[in-house]
Amino acid sequence: MSEHTAGFGATFEVLSAAELDRVKSLYAPLTDAVRDLIDATIWTQADDDAVADAQAAIEAVTRSLREKTRSAGMSYLIDGHPIPLGNAAIGLCNPIAPPMVVHREDDGRCWSEFVLRSAYEGPPTLVHGGVSALLLDHILGEAASEGMTKPRFTGTLTLKYLRGTPLGPLRAEAFVDRTEGVKTYARGFISDAQGITVEAEGIFIQPAWARDAE
């Protein structure tokens, strides 16, 4: 591995495809297990002893995992594309992330299919509106930044909630509508099997330091 410091201050470990496969095989199953733990914690009605035993076991595991940690802000880079570990939408090591796996088409359109479970609930059986905003912010940003290879950050994000988004399998899509100077305009939506539930429009800004570097 080698290190690379991006213009916005983050430090990346540059990985080969084989090294990325190793990282995924090591950390992704652990992250999935913690997602299951979160879901079980929400719904459990275990008795006092079982809850106390679980808490003690979780605290012990937490201590063991904290014995060796990476630097804050450290992430991975492969073929010029960042692989953020802690990102709340796609983070490989973040059990709060659904996760979204974002796919890019040749025309620049981005899409992702994912499942939102109980941790994302707002009204009973429905996704919290703020979670919808988070996921749309991310996938519109993916489209605007050309797969996170161009520094373009959210300036404004406008959402229109058409109906409640149910927990369960969902799809998000986004595309660039147009670019005007340092502003890129992106649009997208979240949908379920019955159609679109939330629409979004966003303006993404190229920061001053990136303009100066051109």
Side-chain angles (χ1 to χ4, degrees):
M1 299 181 189
S2 61
E3 288 193 359
H4 169 77
T5 301
F8 45 85
T11 301
F12 295 95
E13 289 186 11
V14 181
L15 302 185
S16 66
E19 288 169 333
L20 180 61
D21 286 343
R22 182 194 67 79
V23 169
K24 286 181 176 179
S25 66
L26 178 62
Y27 294 117
L30 171 63
T31 307
D32 284 339
V34 178
R35 287 191 185 100
D36 286 340
L37 175 62
I38 291 170
D39 197 66
T41 301
I42 291 170
W43 293 108
T44 188
Q45 290 187 313
D47 62 27
D48 292 2
D49 289 342
V51 169
D53 289 345
Q55 180 179 339
I58 292 166
E59 289 172 349
V61 169
T62 300
R63 286 193 297 271
S64 71
L65 293 176
R66 287 192 186 280
E67 289 177 0
K68 184 178 181 181
T69 60
R70 67 178 184 277
S71 302
M74 175 66 74
S75 196
Y76 295 144
L77 192 73
I78 181 168
D79 296 331
H81 291 262
I83 310 292
L85 301 181
N87 184 283
I90 63 171
L92 176 66
C93 295
N94 188 347
I96 295 174
M100 297 177 79
V101 177
V102 179
H103 305 272
R104 259 185 92 75
E105 302 294 343
D106 292 340
D107 62 1
R109 180 178 289 267
C110 295
W111 61 273
S112 179
E113 293 181 344
F114 48 91
V115 176
L116 294 186
R117 295 161 63 177
S118 301
Y120 308 98
E121 187 176 69
T125 75
L126 298 177
V127 177
H128 193 293
V131 173
S132 296
L134 163 70
L135 300 181
L136 284 164
D137 181 34
H138 184 85
I139 200 160
L140 266 67
E142 287 261 5
S145 67
E146 300 178 28
M148 299 174 68
T149 63
K150 306 291 185 182
R152 293 168 185 158
F153 301 130
T154 311
T156 63
L157 184 68
T158 304
L159 276 71
K160 183 177 181 180
Y161 295 88
L162 305 181
R163 58 184 171 88
T165 301
L167 295 170
L170 298 166
R171 181 182 176 95
E173 296 187 27
F175 61 93
V176 171
D177 185 51
R178 67 190 187 279
T179 298
E180 298 176 355
V182 300
K183 296 181 180 180
T184 297
Y185 296 77
R187 299 173 63 189
F189 60 83
I190 292 174
S191 62
D192 65 1
Q194 281 68 54
I196 295 174
T197 62
V198 188
E199 296 176 336
E201 297 182 358
I203 302 174
F204 294 81
I205 312 296
Q206 183 185 36
W209 58 260
R211 301 170 215 166
D212 295 340
E214 290 182 346

PDB file of all heavy atoms in Angstrom, residues 114-144:
ATOM      1  N   PHE A 114     -30.934  -1.318  -2.623  1.00  0.00           N
ATOM      2  CA  PHE A 114     -30.527  -1.591  -1.251  1.00  0.00           C
ATOM      3  C   PHE A 114     -31.769  -1.897  -0.429  1.00  0.00           C
ATOM      4  O   PHE A 114     -32.910  -1.735  -0.895  1.00  0.00           O
ATOM      5  CB  PHE A 114     -29.786  -0.376  -0.673  1.00  0.00           C
ATOM      6  CG  PHE A 114     -30.501   0.922  -0.909  1.00  0.00           C
ATOM      7  CD1 PHE A 114     -31.404   1.414   0.016  1.00  0.00           C
ATOM      8  CD2 PHE A 114     -30.286   1.648  -2.072  1.00  0.00           C
ATOM      9  CE1 PHE A 114     -32.087   2.591  -0.203  1.00  0.00           C
ATOM     10  CE2 PHE A 114     -30.952   2.842  -2.301  1.00  0.00           C
ATOM     11  CZ  PHE A 114     -31.857   3.313  -1.371  1.00  0.00           C
ATOM     12  N   VAL A 115     -31.554  -2.321   0.797  1.00  0.00           N
ATOM     13  CA  VAL A 115     -32.639  -2.644   1.719  1.00  0.00           C
ATOM     14  C   VAL A 115     -32.486  -1.792   2.972  1.00  0.00           C
ATOM     15  O   VAL A 115     -31.402  -1.750   3.574  1.00  0.00           O
ATOM     16  CB  VAL A 115     -32.637  -4.139   2.092  1.00  0.00           C
ATOM     17  CG1 VAL A 115     -33.726  -4.432   3.130  1.00  0.00           C
ATOM     18  CG2 VAL A 115     -32.833  -5.008   0.852  1.00  0.00           C
ATOM     19  N   LEU A 116     -33.542  -1.084   3.347  1.00  0.00           N
ATOM     20  CA  LEU A 116     -33.551  -0.322   4.597  1.00  0.00           C
ATOM     21  C   LEU A 116     -34.350  -1.083   5.636  1.00  0.00           C
ATOM     22  O   LEU A 116     -35.526  -1.389   5.432  1.00  0.00           O
ATOM     23  CB  LEU A 116     -34.155   1.069   4.377  1.00  0.00           C
ATOM     24  CG  LEU A 116     -33.364   2.008   3.470  1.00  0.00           C
ATOM     25  CD1 LEU A 116     -33.996   3.392   3.451  1.00  0.00           C
ATOM     26  CD2 LEU A 116     -31.896   2.106   3.882  1.00  0.00           C
ATOM     27  N   ARG A 117     -33.704  -1.370   6.746  1.00  0.00           N
ATOM     28  CA  ARG A 117     -34.331  -2.124   7.825  1.00  0.00           C
ATOM     29  C   ARG A 117     -34.762  -1.183   8.946  1.00  0.00           C
ATOM     30  O   ARG A 117     -34.817   0.032   8.786  1.00  0.00           O
ATOM     31  CB  ARG A 117     -33.357  -3.207   8.301  1.00  0.00           C
ATOM     32  CG  ARG A 117     -33.084  -4.234   7.217  1.00  0.00           C
ATOM     33  CD  ARG A 117     -31.829  -5.043   7.437  1.00  0.00           C
ATOM     34  NE  ARG A 117     -31.866  -5.859   8.639  1.00  0.00           N
ATOM     35  CZ  ARG A 117     -30.885  -6.695   8.994  1.00  0.00           C
ATOM     36  NH1 ARG A 117     -29.806  -6.832   8.227  1.00  0.00           N
ATOM     37  NH2 ARG A 117     -30.967  -7.393  10.098  1.00  0.00           N
ATOM     38  N   SER A 118     -35.048  -1.746  10.088  1.00  0.00           N
ATOM     39  CA  SER A 118     -35.691  -0.998  11.177  1.00  0.00           C
ATOM     40  C   SER A 118     -34.885   0.190  11.679  1.00  0.00           C
ATOM     41  O   SER A 118     -35.456   1.143  12.217  1.00  0.00           O
ATOM     42  CB  SER A 118     -35.973  -1.950  12.348  1.00  0.00           C
ATOM     43  OG  SER A 118     -36.801  -3.009  11.923  1.00  0.00           O
ATOM     44  N   ALA A 119     -33.566   0.165  11.524  1.00  0.00           N
ATOM     45  CA  ALA A 119     -32.738   1.268  12.020  1.00  0.00           C
ATOM     46  C   ALA A 119     -33.027   2.580  11.301  1.00  0.00           C
ATOM     47  O   ALA A 119     -32.628   3.654  11.789  1.00  0.00           O
ATOM     48  CB  ALA A 119     -31.257   0.918  11.868  1.00  0.00           C
ATOM     49  N   TYR A 120     -33.732   2.542  10.180  1.00  0.00           N
ATOM     50  CA  TYR A 120     -33.990   3.735   9.379  1.00  0.00           C
ATOM     51  C   TYR A 120     -35.442   4.202   9.479  1.00  0.00           C
ATOM     52  O   TYR A 120     -35.884   5.057   8.725  1.00  0.00           O
ATOM     53  CB  TYR A 120     -33.624   3.456   7.917  1.00  0.00           C
ATOM     54  CG  TYR A 120     -32.228   2.903   7.787  1.00  0.00           C
ATOM     55  CD1 TYR A 120     -32.018   1.535   7.661  1.00  0.00           C
ATOM     56  CD2 TYR A 120     -31.131   3.744   7.864  1.00  0.00           C
ATOM     57  CE1 TYR A 120     -30.734   1.025   7.593  1.00  0.00           C
ATOM     58  CE2 TYR A 120     -29.842   3.240   7.800  1.00  0.00           C
ATOM     59  CZ  TYR A 120     -29.649   1.882   7.663  1.00  0.00           C
ATOM     60  OH  TYR A 120     -28.377   1.368   7.610  1.00  0.00           O
ATOM     61  N   GLU A 121     -36.176   3.665  10.433  1.00  0.00           N
ATOM     62  CA  GLU A 121     -37.602   3.949  10.556  1.00  0.00           C
ATOM     63  C   GLU A 121     -37.866   5.356  11.080  1.00  0.00           C
ATOM     64  O   GLU A 121     -37.190   5.858  11.971  1.00  0.00           O
ATOM     65  CB  GLU A 121     -38.251   2.921  11.495  1.00  0.00           C
ATOM     66  CG  GLU A 121     -39.766   3.028  11.558  1.00  0.00           C
ATOM     67  CD  GLU A 121     -40.367   1.930  12.424  1.00  0.00           C
ATOM     68  OE1 GLU A 121     -40.150   1.978  13.662  1.00  0.00           O
ATOM     69  OE2 GLU A 121     -41.021   1.045  11.874  1.00  0.00           O
ATOM     70  N   GLY A 122     -38.876   6.003  10.486  1.00  0.00           N
ATOM     71  CA  GLY A 122     -39.431   7.249  11.002  1.00  0.00           C
ATOM     72  C   GLY A 122     -40.817   6.929  11.509  1.00  0.00           C
ATOM     73  O   GLY A 122     -40.974   6.347  12.593  1.00  0.00           O
ATOM     74  N   PRO A 123     -41.877   7.254  10.742  1.00  0.00           N
ATOM     75  CA  PRO A 123     -43.201   6.750  11.088  1.00  0.00           C
ATOM     76  C   PRO A 123     -43.187   5.220  11.022  1.00  0.00           C
ATOM     77  O   PRO A 123     -42.397   4.636  10.265  1.00  0.00           O
ATOM     78  CB  PRO A 123     -44.105   7.340   9.989  1.00  0.00           C
ATOM     79  CG  PRO A 123     -43.353   8.512   9.456  1.00  0.00           C
ATOM     80  CD  PRO A 123     -41.904   8.143   9.561  1.00  0.00           C
ATOM     81  N   PRO A 124     -44.017   4.548  11.809  1.00  0.00           N
ATOM     82  CA  PRO A 124     -44.005   3.081  11.806  1.00  0.00           C
ATOM     83  C   PRO A 124     -44.076   2.502  10.394  1.00  0.00           C
ATOM     84  O   PRO A 124     -44.917   2.915   9.585  1.00  0.00           O
ATOM     85  CB  PRO A 124     -45.252   2.723  12.616  1.00  0.00           C
ATOM     86  CG  PRO A 124     -45.437   3.893  13.533  1.00  0.00           C
ATOM     87  CD  PRO A 124     -45.014   5.093  12.736  1.00  0.00           C
ATOM     88  N   THR A 125     -43.151   1.597  10.087  1.00  0.00           N
ATOM     89  CA  THR A 125     -43.011   0.854   8.829  1.00  0.00           C
ATOM     90  C   THR A 125     -42.497   1.716   7.672  1.00  0.00           C
ATOM     91  O   THR A 125     -42.298   1.202   6.567  1.00  0.00           O
ATOM     92  CB  THR A 125     -44.329   0.168   8.374  1.00  0.00           C
ATOM     93  OG1 THR A 125     -45.248   1.140   7.834  1.00  0.00           O
ATOM     94  CG2 THR A 125     -44.971  -0.590   9.513  1.00  0.00           C
ATOM     95  N   LEU A 126     -42.239   3.009   7.907  1.00  0.00           N
ATOM     96  CA  LEU A 126     -41.787   3.892   6.841  1.00  0.00           C
ATOM     97  C   LEU A 126     -40.390   4.446   7.137  1.00  0.00           C
ATOM     98  O   LEU A 126     -39.986   4.579   8.291  1.00  0.00           O
ATOM     99  CB  LEU A 126     -42.758   5.063   6.657  1.00  0.00           C
ATOM    100  CG  LEU A 126     -44.190   4.713   6.257  1.00  0.00           C
ATOM    101  CD1 LEU A 126     -45.030   5.985   6.189  1.00  0.00           C
ATOM    102  CD2 LEU A 126     -44.232   3.962   4.926  1.00  0.00           C
ATOM    103  N   VAL A 127     -39.679   4.777   6.078  1.00  0.00           N
ATOM    104  CA  VAL A 127     -38.335   5.345   6.203  1.00  0.00           C
ATOM    105  C   VAL A 127     -38.407   6.776   6.735  1.00  0.00           C
ATOM    106  O   VAL A 127     -39.261   7.566   6.325  1.00  0.00           O
ATOM    107  CB  VAL A 127     -37.631   5.330   4.826  1.00  0.00           C
ATOM    108  CG1 VAL A 127     -36.254   5.990   4.908  1.00  0.00           C
ATOM    109  CG2 VAL A 127     -37.516   3.902   4.295  1.00  0.00           C
ATOM    110  N   HIS A 128     -37.507   7.122   7.642  1.00  0.00           N
ATOM    111  CA  HIS A 128     -37.403   8.489   8.145  1.00  0.00           C
ATOM    112  C   HIS A 128     -37.065   9.420   6.980  1.00  0.00           C
ATOM    113  O   HIS A 128     -36.195   9.116   6.147  1.00  0.00           O
ATOM    114  CB  HIS A 128     -36.299   8.554   9.204  1.00  0.00           C
ATOM    115  CG  HIS A 128     -36.288   9.809  10.007  1.00  0.00           C
ATOM    116  ND1 HIS A 128     -35.983  11.041   9.475  1.00  0.00           N
ATOM    117  CD2 HIS A 128     -36.555  10.024  11.322  1.00  0.00           C
ATOM    118  CE1 HIS A 128     -36.043  11.954  10.414  1.00  0.00           C
ATOM    119  NE2 HIS A 128     -36.382  11.371  11.550  1.00  0.00           N
ATOM    120  N   GLY A 129     -37.742  10.561   6.918  1.00  0.00           N
ATOM    121  CA  GLY A 129     -37.510  11.499   5.825  1.00  0.00           C
ATOM    122  C   GLY A 129     -36.081  11.980   5.738  1.00  0.00           C
ATOM    123  O   GLY A 129     -35.554  12.224   4.646  1.00  0.00           O
ATOM    124  N   GLY A 130     -35.428  12.120   6.882  1.00  0.00           N
ATOM    125  CA  GLY A 130     -34.031  12.549   6.878  1.00  0.00           C
ATOM    126  C   GLY A 130     -33.103  11.505   6.293  1.00  0.00           C
ATOM    127  O   GLY A 130     -32.067  11.837   5.698  1.00  0.00           O
ATOM    128  N   VAL A 131     -33.453  10.232   6.457  1.00  0.00           N
ATOM    129  CA  VAL A 131     -32.657   9.159   5.847  1.00  0.00           C
ATOM    130  C   VAL A 131     -32.792   9.220   4.334  1.00  0.00           C
ATOM    131  O   VAL A 131     -31.804   9.068   3.599  1.00  0.00           O
ATOM    132  CB  VAL A 131     -33.090   7.789   6.395  1.00  0.00           C
ATOM    133  CG1 VAL A 131     -32.400   6.663   5.644  1.00  0.00           C
ATOM    134  CG2 VAL A 131     -32.779   7.693   7.890  1.00  0.00           C
ATOM    135  N   SER A 132     -34.000   9.457   3.841  1.00  0.00           N
ATOM    136  CA  SER A 132     -34.186   9.619   2.395  1.00  0.00           C
ATOM    137  C   SER A 132     -33.325  10.761   1.873  1.00  0.00           C
ATOM    138  O   SER A 132     -32.698  10.650   0.809  1.00  0.00           O
ATOM    139  CB  SER A 132     -35.659   9.894   2.079  1.00  0.00           C
ATOM    140  OG  SER A 132     -36.475   8.798   2.434  1.00  0.00           O
ATOM    141  N   ALA A 133     -33.284  11.861   2.611  1.00  0.00           N
ATOM    142  CA  ALA A 133     -32.466  13.003   2.211  1.00  0.00           C
ATOM    143  C   ALA A 133     -30.989  12.636   2.175  1.00  0.00           C
ATOM    144  O   ALA A 133     -30.256  13.016   1.243  1.00  0.00           O
ATOM    145  CB  ALA A 133     -32.699  14.173   3.158  1.00  0.00           C
ATOM    146  N   LEU A 134     -30.531  11.891   3.174  1.00  0.00           N
ATOM    147  CA  LEU A 134     -29.138  11.448   3.224  1.00  0.00           C
ATOM    148  C   LEU A 134     -28.777  10.637   1.991  1.00  0.00           C
ATOM    149  O   LEU A 134     -27.757  10.890   1.328  1.00  0.00           O
ATOM    150  CB  LEU A 134     -28.916  10.612   4.488  1.00  0.00           C
ATOM    151  CG  LEU A 134     -27.654   9.745   4.530  1.00  0.00           C
ATOM    152  CD1 LEU A 134     -26.417  10.603   4.642  1.00  0.00           C
ATOM    153  CD2 LEU A 134     -27.726   8.752   5.674  1.00  0.00           C
ATOM    154  N   LEU A 135     -29.610   9.655   1.659  1.00  0.00           N
ATOM    155  CA  LEU A 135     -29.298   8.767   0.551  1.00  0.00           C
ATOM    156  C   LEU A 135     -29.372   9.501  -0.790  1.00  0.00           C
ATOM    157  O   LEU A 135     -28.548   9.259  -1.681  1.00  0.00           O
ATOM    158  CB  LEU A 135     -30.237   7.567   0.566  1.00  0.00           C
ATOM    159  CG  LEU A 135     -30.180   6.714   1.843  1.00  0.00           C
ATOM    160  CD1 LEU A 135     -31.133   5.532   1.742  1.00  0.00           C
ATOM    161  CD2 LEU A 135     -28.758   6.223   2.115  1.00  0.00           C
ATOM    162  N   LEU A 136     -30.329  10.406  -0.923  1.00  0.00           N
ATOM    163  CA  LEU A 136     -30.420  11.166  -2.167  1.00  0.00           C
ATOM    164  C   LEU A 136     -29.265  12.162  -2.289  1.00  0.00           C
ATOM    165  O   LEU A 136     -28.734  12.370  -3.389  1.00  0.00           O
ATOM    166  CB  LEU A 136     -31.768  11.878  -2.248  1.00  0.00           C
ATOM    167  CG  LEU A 136     -32.928  10.948  -2.614  1.00  0.00           C
ATOM    168  CD1 LEU A 136     -34.275  11.589  -2.296  1.00  0.00           C
ATOM    169  CD2 LEU A 136     -32.857  10.550  -4.093  1.00  0.00           C
ATOM    170  N   ASP A 137     -28.881  12.774  -1.189  1.00  0.00           N
ATOM    171  CA  ASP A 137     -27.720  13.657  -1.206  1.00  0.00           C
ATOM    172  C   ASP A 137     -26.504  12.900  -1.715  1.00  0.00           C
ATOM    173  O   ASP A 137     -25.727  13.403  -2.538  1.00  0.00           O
ATOM    174  CB  ASP A 137     -27.471  14.210   0.194  1.00  0.00           C
ATOM    175  CG  ASP A 137     -26.290  15.169   0.239  1.00  0.00           C
ATOM    176  OD1 ASP A 137     -26.065  15.896  -0.738  1.00  0.00           O
ATOM    177  OD2 ASP A 137     -25.600  15.198   1.271  1.00  0.00           O
ATOM    178  N   HIS A 138     -26.358  11.664  -1.244  1.00  0.00           N
ATOM    179  CA  HIS A 138     -25.177  10.899  -1.653  1.00  0.00           C
ATOM    180  C   HIS A 138     -25.223  10.521  -3.125  1.00  0.00           C
ATOM    181  O   HIS A 138     -24.251  10.724  -3.862  1.00  0.00           O
ATOM    182  CB  HIS A 138     -25.008   9.635  -0.814  1.00  0.00           C
ATOM    183  CG  HIS A 138     -23.743   8.920  -1.171  1.00  0.00           C
ATOM    184  ND1 HIS A 138     -22.534   9.235  -0.615  1.00  0.00           N
ATOM    185  CD2 HIS A 138     -23.483   7.957  -2.101  1.00  0.00           C
ATOM    186  CE1 HIS A 138     -21.582   8.500  -1.169  1.00  0.00           C
ATOM    187  NE2 HIS A 138     -22.141   7.715  -2.077  1.00  0.00           N
ATOM    188  N   ILE A 139     -26.335   9.967  -3.585  1.00  0.00           N
ATOM    189  CA  ILE A 139     -26.335   9.472  -4.967  1.00  0.00           C
ATOM    190  C   ILE A 139     -26.347  10.620  -5.972  1.00  0.00           C
ATOM    191  O   ILE A 139     -25.743  10.520  -7.046  1.00  0.00           O
ATOM    192  CB  ILE A 139     -27.486   8.470  -5.199  1.00  0.00           C
ATOM    193  CG1 ILE A 139     -27.164   7.628  -6.440  1.00  0.00           C
ATOM    194  CG2 ILE A 139     -28.841   9.174  -5.306  1.00  0.00           C
ATOM    195  CD1 ILE A 139     -27.921   6.330  -6.521  1.00  0.00           C
ATOM    196  N   LEU A 140     -26.998  11.753  -5.636  1.00  0.00           N
ATOM    197  CA  LEU A 140     -26.870  12.917  -6.504  1.00  0.00           C
ATOM    198  C   LEU A 140     -25.432  13.412  -6.526  1.00  0.00           C
ATOM    199  O   LEU A 140     -24.912  13.821  -7.571  1.00  0.00           O
ATOM    200  CB  LEU A 140     -27.805  14.045  -6.048  1.00  0.00           C
ATOM    201  CG  LEU A 140     -29.186  14.112  -6.722  1.00  0.00           C
ATOM    202  CD1 LEU A 140     -30.038  12.907  -6.343  1.00  0.00           C
ATOM    203  CD2 LEU A 140     -29.910  15.402  -6.360  1.00  0.00           C
ATOM    204  N   GLY A 141     -24.788  13.368  -5.372  1.00  0.00           N
ATOM    205  CA  GLY A 141     -23.382  13.761  -5.310  1.00  0.00           C
ATOM    206  C   GLY A 141     -22.484  12.847  -6.121  1.00  0.00           C
ATOM    207  O   GLY A 141     -21.505  13.285  -6.732  1.00  0.00           O
ATOM    208  N   GLU A 142     -22.802  11.543  -6.127  1.00  0.00           N
ATOM    209  CA  GLU A 142     -22.039  10.603  -6.951  1.00  0.00           C
ATOM    210  C   GLU A 142     -22.140  10.981  -8.424  1.00  0.00           C
ATOM    211  O   GLU A 142     -21.147  10.965  -9.170  1.00  0.00           O
ATOM    212  CB  GLU A 142     -22.563   9.182  -6.746  1.00  0.00           C
ATOM    213  CG  GLU A 142     -22.211   8.556  -5.416  1.00  0.00           C
ATOM    214  CD  GLU A 142     -21.020   7.622  -5.495  1.00  0.00           C
ATOM    215  OE1 GLU A 142     -20.397   7.525  -6.574  1.00  0.00           O
ATOM    216  OE2 GLU A 142     -20.718   6.975  -4.479  1.00  0.00           O
ATOM    217  N   ALA A 143     -23.360  11.305  -8.866  1.00  0.00           N
ATOM    218  CA  ALA A 143     -23.546  11.691 -10.268  1.00  0.00           C
ATOM    219  C   ALA A 143     -22.825  13.000 -10.571  1.00  0.00           C
ATOM    220  O   ALA A 143     -22.107  13.119 -11.578  1.00  0.00           O
ATOM    221  CB  ALA A 143     -25.036  11.814 -10.578  1.00  0.00           C
ATOM    222  N   ALA A 144     -22.988  13.988  -9.690  1.00  0.00           N
ATOM    223  CA  ALA A 144     -22.399  15.304  -9.923  1.00  0.00           C
ATOM    224  C   ALA A 144     -20.876  15.271  -9.909  1.00  0.00           C
ATOM    225  O   ALA A 144     -20.218  16.028 -10.638  1.00  0.00           O
ATOM    226  CB  ALA A 144     -22.913  16.298  -8.889  1.00  0.00           C
TER     227      ALA A 144
END
